[in-house]
Amino acid sequence: MAPVTLKSVTKSYGATSVLHGIDIDITDGEFVVLVGPSGCGKSTLLRMIAGLETITGGAIEIGGRVVNDLEPKDRDIAMVFQNYALYPHMTVATNMGFSLEHRGGSKAEIAERVQWAAGILGLTHLLDRYPRQLSGGQRQRVAMGRAIVRNPQVFLFDEPLSNLDAKLRVVMRGEIKGLHQRLGVTTVYVTHDQVEAMTMADRIVVMNGGKVEQVGAPLDLYDRPANLFVAGFIGSPSMNFIEGELTPAGFKAGNITLPLPANAPTSGKATYGVRPEHLMLADDGVEAVVKLVEPMGSETQVSLSLGEQSISAVFRERIKAQPGTTIRIRPDANAIHLFDATGTRID
């Protein structure tokens, strides 16, 4: 196990800059998720930690050692790829033990480590099979097993669940998190799926356009997003944003007045943010016109028109409203987010 530190890390391809001074401190044994939209630079950053991409500027340290110029094999890391990267002509056991064999491990050592990893991942009965005989989830377990037999200081995961169906992704999320809790190895995990990030991470690094927007524990980012981008990216369904003006009477958006949290500013233009789950049915609320009702069983998702704004709400109640009807809603005043003209959070 080892900490990972990124200091002012940059990456350029010719005149095109894709990473702009990344600073991240990952503590020993921490599970950190890099999350952001496609093209934000998260996979490039992970590959630079692995040594698969050269670094343009700054420094990457693993276990206190600068690794900028070290080959991947000398960094004591193990990487799990999106497409599994298994050798089709090798059995599960041979795939898992290949890196140890390549490093000159004895047959007894390799067999012991493979059996140990297979036991953790539930692969013992599959060791004699070939990748073509496995399901997608089983192949991903083999890829993870190949990583953990090496006993690395750091695990790197590059969108490992994106090729799996929705139900299997949920199962594998739990397995990867459980593996981390059992082994305690420093883990850096890349995904574009903020649900994966929220459910798995000790801390999340939200990236956008080659920059870090915010770093924090999942619920910290959910409760106190630093800006509009983080507020809109973290949370599902995503936060509602309403443009308007702060006044002593509340937040004005056209002919709609919404409540403000205590001690909020009372003047100036702002963006009002409220999550769908923080809207409540209330007789004294503001009127909203129903556009679409989506029963989900334990909750009901409703698309609404609020004045000239389109918003979403999530209710625990099983409401029977039909499209075109009017309901009254009220935001939870303790769960409102305000952002200034630059998109920065107003505290």
Side-chain angles (χ1 to χ4, degrees):
M1 296 183 291
V4 177
T5 303
L6 283 67
K7 298 179 179 178
S8 302
V9 171
T10 62
K11 176 65 177 178
S12 298
Y13 295 101
T16 304
S17 179
V18 295
L19 292 174
H20 316 286
I22 306 295
D23 293 290
I24 305 171
D25 285 310
I26 301 169
T27 60
D28 190 3
E30 192 174 22
F31 194 120
V32 168
V33 175
L34 309 181
V35 69
S38 297
C40 72
K42 57 190 183 296
S43 288
T44 299
L45 187 60
L46 191 78
R47 290 173 63 83
M48 290 166 67
I49 297 172
L52 301 176
E53 291 274 0
T54 58
I55 181 171
T56 302
I60 297 175
E61 297 180 4
I62 298 176
R65 177 180 60 159
V66 176
V67 299
N68 290 20
D69 299 319
L70 289 184
E71 294 294 320
K73 63 183 178 63
D74 299 320
R75 297 191 181 200
D76 203 5
I77 57 94
M79 190 161 180
V80 179
F81 296 91
Q82 177 180 345
N83 61 357
Y84 320 135
L86 302 178
Y87 297 107
H89 62 288
M90 294 182 181
T91 64
V92 168
T94 310
N95 263 288
M96 289 172 62
F98 181 75
S99 61
L100 295 181
E101 182 180 349
H102 188 66
R103 286 158 53 176
S106 68
K107 288 186 177 180
E109 176 197 2
I110 294 170
E112 181 182 354
R113 294 292 298 177
V114 167
Q115 285 290 339
W116 170 77
I120 290 176
L121 295 167
L123 294 171
T124 303
H125 64 296
L126 301 174
L127 289 176
D128 292 329
R129 294 191 187 180
Y130 291 87
R132 65 179 179 275
Q133 299 171 304
L134 305 177
S135 67
Q138 290 168 338
R139 292 179 191 179
Q140 192 56 271
R141 288 191 187 94
V142 175
M144 290 162 56
R146 185 177 55 190
I148 69 175
V149 295
R150 296 178 54 188
N151 194 26
Q153 291 193 84
V154 180
F155 284 138
L156 305 176
F157 288 87
D158 189 9
E159 303 208 41
L161 308 184
S162 59
N163 289 337
L164 305 179
D165 62 53
K167 186 175 181 179
L168 188 53
R169 279 201 304 271
V170 174
V171 173
M172 292 301 297
R173 282 204 313 256
E175 292 199 4
I176 292 173
K177 186 63 177 177
L179 181 66
H180 175 259
Q181 291 170 344
R182 179 168 181 173
L183 301 179
V185 177
T186 306
T187 300
V188 186
Y189 185 106
V190 161
T191 181
H192 64 275
D193 184 337
Q194 57 90 20
V195 175
E196 277 183 34
M198 289 290 291
T199 55
M200 299 176 74
D202 296 324
R203 280 193 305 152
I204 297 173
V205 178
V206 182
M207 296 183 64
N208 182 36
K211 297 180 180 179
V212 173
E213 296 282 354
Q214 189 174 359
V215 181
L219 292 181
D220 289 342
L221 270 58
Y222 178 86
D223 292 334
R224 295 184 59 79
N227 53 44
L228 281 171
F229 178 81
V230 177
F233 195 84
I234 296 296
S236 180
S238 59
M239 186 183 291
N240 297 300
F241 297 122
I242 302 169
E243 303 293 330
E245 189 171 353
L246 299 162
T247 75
F251 184 84
K252 296 278 190 180
N255 61 352
I256 300 293
T257 301
L258 298 170
L260 288 171
N263 303 318
T266 56
S267 64
K269 293 188 179 299
T271 300
Y272 188 99
V274 60
R275 297 193 183 280
E277 58 269 32
H278 293 149
L279 291 168
M280 302 169 288
L281 295 169
D283 292 338
D284 60 348
V286 296
E287 289 188 349
V289 179
V290 175
K291 296 196 297 184
L292 179 67
V293 178
E294 299 177 277
M296 306 294 287
S298 62
E299 62 189 24
T300 305
Q301 296 187 19
V302 184
S303 298
L304 300 163
S305 291
L306 182 67
E308 297 182 357
Q309 308 271 352
S310 293
I311 65 170
S312 298
V314 175
F315 302 121
R316 290 297 179 186
E317 299 93 332
R318 295 188 178 184
I319 69 172
K320 297 181 179 180
Q322 298 296 315
T325 60
T326 298
I327 62 174
R328 288 184 173 272
I329 58 171
R330 184 178 70 240
D332 180 350
N334 296 316
I336 291 164
H337 308 265
L338 297 173
F339 305 92
D340 65 20
T342 69
T344 302
R345 180 183 185 85
I346 299 174
D347 287 316

